[in-house]
Amino acid sequence: MKKLIIATKNQGKAKEFAALFSPLGYEFLTMLDLEDAKDVEETGTTFEANAILKAEALCEQFNTMVIADDSGLIIDALDGRPGVYSARYAGEAKSDEANIDKVLAELEDVPAEERTARFYCALAIAAPGKETMTVAGTVEGIITSARQGENGFGYDPIFYVPSLERTMAQLQSSEKNAISHRANALKNLQAELHHFS
């Protein structure tokens, strides 16, 4: 089995990575499995920069291949916010509910046709002795005016996917994994993994 570390403590993300990576024959650990994993400060101004910071720090610490992601919500009417601050948009406590409330409040007077948005995911892959590489994936949607659905995490309850006529939180995980920004980034990563194995 090929080993790798997924640089996340987010159980929702860990599950999505597991579903996408297990079929490729990888055995992996997340930061929830590694007691001494460094907490890497996300000081980058882009998703790519933050993903690289995390991947390289953990690759150096554990001397093994690491995949790190940084992802978030980009809302056109908010000039791209919350962007790289998606997880802590409403404050350092990183509350999904508070973040959603803040976005809905900021979009209160914005008509439906101007509520276009996308989820963006940058993945960085770092391995000992190799040059770190990044890939990205997106999924387009519209921000709803109220929460819909119980599945997923983060901004999923207010992110409506027009092609499926449901929010991300109304999708089964298999449906979400087929179209999500993370899935699209992973597809792009799969094409590049041969450089690292």
Side-chain angles (χ1 to χ4, degrees):
M1 286 286 259
K2 295 168 279 193
K3 277 200 160 103
L4 67 91
I5 293 171
I6 307 287
T8 187
K9 287 183 181 174
N10 179 317
Q11 301 238 244
K13 281 187 191 179
K15 263 191 200 145
E16 285 180 19
F17 276 115
L20 294 154
F21 264 98
S22 298
L24 302 177
Y26 280 89
E27 181 192 340
F28 61 86
L29 300 168
T30 70
M31 288 174 76
L32 298 166
D33 307 309
L34 302 163
E35 282 176 22
D36 53 345
K38 277 187 214 161
D39 242 343
V40 182
E41 248 190 283
E42 296 180 20
T43 53
T45 54
T46 65
F47 294 114
E48 280 77 6
N50 283 331
I52 289 169
L53 281 171
K54 289 187 275 190
E56 290 184 344
L58 290 166
C59 175
E60 195 178 317
Q61 187 183 358
F62 293 102
N63 198 35
T64 191
M65 185 157 77
V66 177
I67 292 177
D69 91 307
D70 194 38
S71 49
L73 180 62
I74 296 169
I75 301 173
D76 296 321
L78 299 180
D79 300 322
R81 292 193 315 273
V84 290
Y85 305 106
S86 291
R88 50 189 181 276
Y89 194 45
E92 283 303 316
K94 293 189 177 182
S95 156
D96 288 350
E97 294 309 310
N99 288 339
I100 287 174
D101 288 341
K102 182 171 180 179
V103 164
L104 291 178
E106 290 185 331
L107 289 176
E108 205 170 357
D109 301 324
V110 178
E113 65 275 9
E114 289 173 28
R115 297 169 79 105
T116 51
R118 70 211 43 82
F119 275 129
Y120 186 96
C121 172
L123 289 179
I125 179 165
K130 308 264 186 185
E131 199 171 321
T132 303
M133 192 186 78
T134 61
V135 293
T138 60
V139 60
E140 297 291 323
I142 294 163
I143 303 301
T144 57
S145 52
R147 292 169 175 80
Q148 295 166 34
E150 300 296 321
N151 302 330
F153 60 95
Y155 296 94
D156 287 355
I158 58 167
F159 190 88
Y160 179 82
V161 184
S163 60
L164 297 176
E165 299 183 348
R166 282 173 290 165
T167 67
M168 282 285 211
Q170 292 173 308
L171 302 177
Q172 296 305 315
S173 58
S174 58
E175 295 176 294
K176 180 183 173 181
N177 286 343
I179 59 114
S180 77
H181 51 310
R182 201 162 290 112
N184 290 331
L186 279 165
K187 279 175 204 147
N188 294 334
L189 181 66
Q190 249 172 292
E192 303 291 343
L193 269 180
H194 60 276
H195 296 303
F196 286 86
S197 43

